[in-house]
Short mmCIF file of all heavy atoms in Angstrom, two decimals:
data_model
loop_
_atom_site.label_atom_id
_atom_site.label_comp_id
_atom_site.label_asym_id
_atom_site.label_seq_id
_atom_site.Cartn_x
_atom_site.Cartn_y
_atom_site.Cartn_z
N GLY A 26 -2.68 -3.59 -30.18
CA GLY A 26 -3.35 -2.81 -29.15
C GLY A 26 -2.49 -2.61 -27.93
O GLY A 26 -1.36 -3.09 -27.84
N PRO A 27 -3.03 -1.87 -26.95
CA PRO A 27 -2.27 -1.54 -25.74
C PRO A 27 -2.17 -2.72 -24.78
O PRO A 27 -2.90 -2.83 -23.82
CB PRO A 27 -3.11 -0.40 -25.13
CG PRO A 27 -4.51 -0.69 -25.58
CD PRO A 27 -4.37 -1.28 -26.95
N VAL A 28 -1.20 -3.61 -25.07
CA VAL A 28 -1.08 -4.82 -24.27
C VAL A 28 -0.21 -4.60 -23.03
O VAL A 28 -0.05 -5.49 -22.22
CB VAL A 28 -0.49 -5.97 -25.12
CG1 VAL A 28 -1.44 -6.32 -26.24
CG2 VAL A 28 0.87 -5.58 -25.68
N HIS A 29 0.41 -3.40 -22.91
CA HIS A 29 1.25 -3.14 -21.76
C HIS A 29 0.39 -2.95 -20.51
O HIS A 29 -0.75 -2.54 -20.59
CB HIS A 29 2.10 -1.90 -22.01
CG HIS A 29 1.29 -0.70 -22.41
ND1 HIS A 29 0.81 -0.53 -23.68
CD2 HIS A 29 0.87 0.37 -21.69
CE1 HIS A 29 0.13 0.60 -23.74
NE2 HIS A 29 0.14 1.16 -22.55
N ALA A 30 0.99 -3.25 -19.38
CA ALA A 30 0.27 -3.08 -18.12
C ALA A 30 0.29 -1.63 -17.69
O ALA A 30 1.25 -0.90 -17.96
CB ALA A 30 0.92 -3.95 -17.04
N THR A 31 -0.78 -1.19 -17.06
CA THR A 31 -0.82 0.19 -16.58
C THR A 31 -1.11 0.27 -15.08
O THR A 31 -0.74 1.24 -14.44
CB THR A 31 -1.90 1.00 -17.31
OG1 THR A 31 -3.18 0.41 -17.08
CG2 THR A 31 -1.62 1.02 -18.80
N ILE A 32 -1.77 -0.71 -14.53
CA ILE A 32 -2.13 -0.66 -13.12
C ILE A 32 -1.03 -1.30 -12.28
O ILE A 32 -0.70 -2.46 -12.44
CB ILE A 32 -3.46 -1.40 -12.85
CG1 ILE A 32 -4.56 -0.86 -13.76
CG2 ILE A 32 -3.85 -1.24 -11.38
CD1 ILE A 32 -4.86 0.61 -13.58
N VAL A 33 -0.44 -0.50 -11.38
CA VAL A 33 0.58 -1.00 -10.47
C VAL A 33 -0.07 -1.34 -9.14
O VAL A 33 -0.81 -0.53 -8.57
CB VAL A 33 1.70 0.04 -10.26
CG1 VAL A 33 2.69 -0.45 -9.20
CG2 VAL A 33 2.43 0.31 -11.56
N VAL A 34 0.18 -2.55 -8.66
CA VAL A 34 -0.39 -3.01 -7.39
C VAL A 34 0.76 -3.29 -6.42
O VAL A 34 1.68 -4.03 -6.74
CB VAL A 34 -1.20 -4.31 -7.58
CG1 VAL A 34 -1.77 -4.79 -6.25
CG2 VAL A 34 -2.33 -4.08 -8.58
N VAL A 35 0.71 -2.67 -5.26
CA VAL A 35 1.75 -2.84 -4.26
C VAL A 35 1.13 -3.38 -2.97
O VAL A 35 0.21 -2.78 -2.42
CB VAL A 35 2.47 -1.52 -3.94
CG1 VAL A 35 3.54 -1.73 -2.87
CG2 VAL A 35 3.08 -0.93 -5.20
N GLU A 36 1.61 -4.53 -2.53
CA GLU A 36 1.21 -5.08 -1.24
C GLU A 36 2.39 -4.94 -0.29
O GLU A 36 3.52 -5.23 -0.66
CB GLU A 36 0.79 -6.54 -1.39
CG GLU A 36 -0.45 -6.70 -2.27
CD GLU A 36 -0.87 -8.14 -2.45
OE1 GLU A 36 0.01 -8.97 -2.74
OE2 GLU A 36 -2.06 -8.43 -2.31
N TYR A 37 2.13 -4.47 0.91
CA TYR A 37 3.24 -4.15 1.80
C TYR A 37 3.04 -4.71 3.21
O TYR A 37 1.92 -5.04 3.62
CB TYR A 37 3.45 -2.64 1.88
CG TYR A 37 2.23 -1.85 2.33
CD1 TYR A 37 1.91 -1.72 3.68
CD2 TYR A 37 1.41 -1.23 1.39
CE1 TYR A 37 0.80 -1.01 4.09
CE2 TYR A 37 0.30 -0.51 1.80
CZ TYR A 37 -0.01 -0.40 3.15
OH TYR A 37 -1.10 0.31 3.55
N ALA A 38 4.14 -4.81 3.93
CA ALA A 38 4.12 -5.25 5.33
C ALA A 38 5.10 -4.39 6.10
O ALA A 38 6.13 -3.97 5.58
CB ALA A 38 4.50 -6.73 5.44
N GLY A 39 4.78 -4.12 7.34
CA GLY A 39 5.66 -3.29 8.15
C GLY A 39 5.25 -3.33 9.61
O GLY A 39 4.62 -4.30 10.06
N SER A 40 5.60 -2.29 10.34
CA SER A 40 5.27 -2.24 11.76
C SER A 40 4.97 -0.81 12.18
O SER A 40 5.47 0.15 11.59
CB SER A 40 6.43 -2.79 12.60
OG SER A 40 7.61 -2.04 12.37
N VAL A 41 4.15 -0.67 13.21
CA VAL A 41 3.75 0.63 13.71
C VAL A 41 4.94 1.29 14.42
O VAL A 41 5.58 0.68 15.27
CB VAL A 41 2.57 0.50 14.69
CG1 VAL A 41 2.23 1.85 15.32
CG2 VAL A 41 1.35 -0.07 13.95
N SER A 42 5.24 2.54 14.04
CA SER A 42 6.32 3.28 14.69
C SER A 42 5.78 4.29 15.70
O SER A 42 6.46 4.62 16.68
CB SER A 42 7.17 4.00 13.64
OG SER A 42 6.37 4.87 12.87
N THR A 43 4.58 4.80 15.46
CA THR A 43 3.94 5.73 16.37
C THR A 43 2.44 5.49 16.36
O THR A 43 1.87 5.24 15.29
CB THR A 43 4.19 7.20 15.95
OG1 THR A 43 5.59 7.44 15.90
CG2 THR A 43 3.55 8.17 16.94
N SER A 44 1.80 5.52 17.50
CA SER A 44 0.36 5.32 17.53
C SER A 44 -0.30 6.15 18.62
O SER A 44 0.18 6.21 19.75
CB SER A 44 0.02 3.85 17.77
OG SER A 44 -1.39 3.68 17.93
N ARG A 45 -1.40 6.80 18.24
CA ARG A 45 -2.25 7.47 19.20
C ARG A 45 -3.69 6.98 19.01
O ARG A 45 -4.65 7.70 19.25
CB ARG A 45 -2.18 8.98 19.00
CG ARG A 45 -0.79 9.56 19.28
CD ARG A 45 -0.81 11.08 19.38
NE ARG A 45 -1.19 11.70 18.12
CZ ARG A 45 -0.31 12.00 17.16
NH1 ARG A 45 0.99 11.71 17.32
NH2 ARG A 45 -0.70 12.59 16.07
N VAL A 46 -3.81 5.73 18.55
CA VAL A 46 -5.11 5.11 18.32
C VAL A 46 -5.28 3.93 19.26
O VAL A 46 -4.39 3.07 19.36
CB VAL A 46 -5.24 4.63 16.85
CG1 VAL A 46 -6.53 3.85 16.65
CG2 VAL A 46 -5.20 5.83 15.91
N GLY A 47 -6.39 3.87 19.94
CA GLY A 47 -6.65 2.77 20.85
C GLY A 47 -6.66 1.43 20.13
O GLY A 47 -7.22 1.30 19.04
N GLY A 48 -6.02 0.43 20.73
CA GLY A 48 -5.96 -0.89 20.13
C GLY A 48 -4.81 -1.07 19.18
O GLY A 48 -4.61 -2.16 18.62
N VAL A 49 -4.02 -0.02 18.96
CA VAL A 49 -2.85 -0.10 18.09
C VAL A 49 -1.63 0.37 18.88
O VAL A 49 -1.62 1.48 19.42
CB VAL A 49 -3.01 0.78 16.83
CG1 VAL A 49 -1.76 0.72 15.98
CG2 VAL A 49 -4.23 0.33 16.04
N SER A 50 -0.58 -0.48 18.92
CA SER A 50 0.62 -0.15 19.70
C SER A 50 1.86 -0.17 18.82
O SER A 50 1.87 -0.79 17.73
CB SER A 50 0.80 -1.17 20.84
OG SER A 50 -0.34 -1.20 21.69
N VAL A 51 2.90 0.51 19.26
CA VAL A 51 4.17 0.51 18.56
C VAL A 51 4.68 -0.93 18.43
O VAL A 51 4.67 -1.69 19.39
CB VAL A 51 5.21 1.37 19.31
CG1 VAL A 51 6.59 1.23 18.67
CG2 VAL A 51 4.77 2.82 19.34
N GLY A 52 5.11 -1.29 17.23
CA GLY A 52 5.60 -2.64 16.98
C GLY A 52 4.56 -3.57 16.39
O GLY A 52 4.91 -4.65 15.89
N ASP A 53 3.29 -3.18 16.43
CA ASP A 53 2.24 -4.03 15.86
C ASP A 53 2.45 -4.17 14.35
O ASP A 53 2.89 -3.24 13.67
CB ASP A 53 0.85 -3.43 16.12
CG ASP A 53 0.42 -3.58 17.56
OD1 ASP A 53 1.06 -4.36 18.29
OD2 ASP A 53 -0.58 -2.93 17.96
N ALA A 54 2.10 -5.36 13.85
CA ALA A 54 2.26 -5.64 12.42
C ALA A 54 1.24 -4.87 11.58
O ALA A 54 0.08 -4.72 11.96
CB ALA A 54 2.13 -7.13 12.15
N VAL A 55 1.70 -4.38 10.44
CA VAL A 55 0.87 -3.64 9.51
C VAL A 55 0.87 -4.36 8.17
O VAL A 55 1.93 -4.75 7.66
CB VAL A 55 1.39 -2.20 9.30
CG1 VAL A 55 0.60 -1.49 8.21
CG2 VAL A 55 1.33 -1.42 10.59
N LEU A 56 -0.30 -4.55 7.60
CA LEU A 56 -0.44 -5.11 6.26
C LEU A 56 -1.29 -4.16 5.43
O LEU A 56 -2.21 -3.53 5.95
CB LEU A 56 -1.10 -6.49 6.29
CG LEU A 56 -0.34 -7.62 6.98
CD1 LEU A 56 -1.20 -8.88 7.02
CD2 LEU A 56 0.98 -7.89 6.27
N GLY A 57 -0.98 -4.04 4.16
CA GLY A 57 -1.77 -3.13 3.35
C GLY A 57 -1.54 -3.30 1.87
O GLY A 57 -0.79 -4.17 1.42
N ARG A 58 -2.19 -2.41 1.11
CA ARG A 58 -2.17 -2.52 -0.34
C ARG A 58 -2.48 -1.14 -0.92
O ARG A 58 -3.29 -0.39 -0.37
CB ARG A 58 -3.24 -3.52 -0.77
CG ARG A 58 -3.30 -3.88 -2.25
CD ARG A 58 -4.36 -4.95 -2.43
NE ARG A 58 -4.34 -5.56 -3.74
CZ ARG A 58 -5.09 -5.15 -4.78
NH1 ARG A 58 -5.90 -4.12 -4.62
NH2 ARG A 58 -5.02 -5.76 -5.94
N PHE A 59 -1.82 -0.79 -2.03
CA PHE A 59 -2.24 0.39 -2.75
C PHE A 59 -2.06 0.19 -4.24
O PHE A 59 -1.24 -0.62 -4.68
CB PHE A 59 -1.54 1.67 -2.26
CG PHE A 59 -0.06 1.76 -2.55
CD1 PHE A 59 0.39 2.32 -3.73
CD2 PHE A 59 0.87 1.33 -1.61
CE1 PHE A 59 1.75 2.44 -4.00
CE2 PHE A 59 2.23 1.46 -1.85
CZ PHE A 59 2.68 2.01 -3.06
N THR A 60 -2.85 0.89 -5.03
CA THR A 60 -2.81 0.76 -6.48
C THR A 60 -2.86 2.14 -7.13
O THR A 60 -3.36 3.10 -6.55
CB THR A 60 -4.00 -0.07 -7.01
OG1 THR A 60 -5.21 0.69 -6.84
CG2 THR A 60 -4.12 -1.39 -6.28
N TYR A 61 -2.34 2.22 -8.36
CA TYR A 61 -2.47 3.44 -9.14
C TYR A 61 -2.26 3.11 -10.61
O TYR A 61 -1.70 2.08 -10.97
CB TYR A 61 -1.48 4.52 -8.68
CG TYR A 61 -0.03 4.15 -8.85
CD1 TYR A 61 0.69 4.49 -9.99
CD2 TYR A 61 0.65 3.45 -7.85
CE1 TYR A 61 2.02 4.16 -10.14
CE2 TYR A 61 1.99 3.12 -7.98
CZ TYR A 61 2.66 3.48 -9.13
OH TYR A 61 3.99 3.13 -9.27
N ASP A 62 -2.73 4.00 -11.48
CA ASP A 62 -2.64 3.82 -12.93
C ASP A 62 -1.51 4.68 -13.47
O ASP A 62 -1.55 5.91 -13.36
CB ASP A 62 -3.97 4.23 -13.56
CG ASP A 62 -4.02 3.95 -15.06
OD1 ASP A 62 -2.96 3.67 -15.65
OD2 ASP A 62 -5.12 4.01 -15.64
N THR A 63 -0.50 4.06 -14.05
CA THR A 63 0.66 4.81 -14.54
C THR A 63 0.34 5.69 -15.73
O THR A 63 1.11 6.59 -16.06
CB THR A 63 1.80 3.85 -14.94
OG1 THR A 63 1.36 3.01 -16.01
CG2 THR A 63 2.25 3.00 -13.76
N LEU A 64 -0.79 5.46 -16.38
CA LEU A 64 -1.15 6.26 -17.55
C LEU A 64 -2.23 7.29 -17.26
O LEU A 64 -2.82 7.86 -18.17
CB LEU A 64 -1.61 5.35 -18.71
CG LEU A 64 -0.54 4.41 -19.27
CD1 LEU A 64 -1.08 3.66 -20.48
CD2 LEU A 64 0.72 5.19 -19.65
N ALA A 65 -2.50 7.55 -15.98
CA ALA A 65 -3.48 8.57 -15.63
C ALA A 65 -3.00 9.94 -16.11
O ALA A 65 -1.81 10.18 -16.23
CB ALA A 65 -3.71 8.59 -14.12
#
């Protein structure tokens, strides 16, 4: 059966380079996550 993986999960870290949102400033730490299915 299809034992290969298809869902890619990416967790990332970075910093704000531009902001026009209150409470968020340049240099603030950013954490996040995104996923997608390679066989879609």
Side-chain angles (χ1 to χ4, degrees):
V28 297
H29 53 282
T31 61
I32 306 299
V33 175
V34 179
V35 179
E36 296 179 313
Y37 57 82
S40 60
V41 175
S42 58
T43 303
S44 175
R45 296 193 296 273
V46 174
V49 178
S50 302
V51 173
D53 286 347
V55 174
L56 295 175
R58 186 176 191 267
F59 69 89
T60 69
Y61 63 93
D62 186 347
T63 62
L64 295 185

